[in-house]
Amino acid sequence: QGCPQQSHYQQRCRLQTRAAFLFSPNPTVQKYVINNYVQADKDAAERLIAKWLLPEGTLETERSRLMASLVTTLWKEWGEFCNHTGGYEKEYMWIAACDGKTPPHLWHSYFSGHTKVLQKLACRVCSKVLGIGSAERSWKKFKGNLSAERSKLSPKKA
């Protein structure tokens, strides 16, 4: 569940960050993930499956069967992804992963089309902004507009 003192946003970011590392096509990240893979990574991916891929209103008995099927399929596809087998054996895919020009969500959009679960989950997870830094940089542009001096100006001078 995460630490109780963490906000919901922080817990969600941590969950999505763990899953984003699992689905990164970058070979350096993949090597790190394979060597440091822990139960929390598996749990993060499975929680996101439950949140994003299970249809709303599914009966509990059907839900558990469907969840088991999706989880089994995901880990089979993830194994092929990590081992560069199945539909991932083509060299040009991994050149695109290393070029630094193809974001992970687009990489999966282009090259994971043969998978049922991995592409949907990886595209969704890897397209999310996982930190607050980009939002802070974006709002920094408005800092000058909201200064104390500017708020005292008359509408004509502002």
Side-chain angles (χ1 to χ4, degrees):
Q1 288 290 336
C3 300
Q5 65 269 23
Q6 287 183 332
S7 72
H8 176 70
Y9 176 77
Q10 288 170 322
Q11 289 177 19
R12 192 177 71 221
C13 282
R14 172 176 270 161
L15 179 72
Q16 291 177 356
T17 301
R18 280 194 170 289
F21 271 103
L22 284 176
F23 303 128
S24 174
N26 183 298
T28 306
V29 176
Q30 274 190 342
K31 189 178 196 178
Y32 174 82
V33 167
I34 291 168
N35 292 333
N36 298 291
Y37 177 74
V38 293
Q39 184 64 37
D41 298 321
K42 184 177 180 185
D43 293 344
E46 291 176 9
R47 284 180 60 198
L48 291 173
I49 287 174
K51 181 179 177 181
W52 289 336
L53 299 183
L54 285 178
E56 289 291 322
T58 308
L59 297 174
E60 192 59 38
T61 54
E62 182 67 18
R63 183 179 174 85
S64 60
R65 187 192 64 73
L66 184 58
M67 181 69 181
S69 172
L70 288 170
V71 167
T72 302
T73 303
L74 172 69
W75 295 122
K76 177 184 165 290
E77 293 170 355
W78 187 74
E80 292 174 355
F81 169 68
C82 290
N83 295 320
H84 300 197
T85 59
Y88 294 107
E89 65 274 337
K90 297 176 181 67
E91 189 65 31
Y92 65 85
M93 294 176 160
W94 302 104
I95 292 170
C98 296
D99 69 4
K101 298 175 186 172
T102 311
H105 68 284
L106 292 179
W107 189 93
H108 280 287
S109 177
Y110 300 149
F111 301 122
S112 293
H114 63 283
T115 63
K116 293 180 181 179
V117 179
L118 182 73
Q119 182 185 35
K120 290 177 190 171
L121 197 58
C123 286
R124 188 139 183 205
V125 168
C126 294
S127 66
K128 300 287 183 199
V129 176
L130 299 175
I132 195 77
S134 59
E136 287 177 350
R137 284 189 295 276
S138 176
W139 281 104
K140 188 176 181 180
K141 295 174 186 175
F142 298 105
K143 185 177 180 183
N145 293 344
L146 302 174
S147 68
E149 294 170 359
R150 190 165 175 88
S151 65
K152 293 177 185 175
L153 293 175
S154 67
K156 289 182 182 177
K157 291 184 180 180

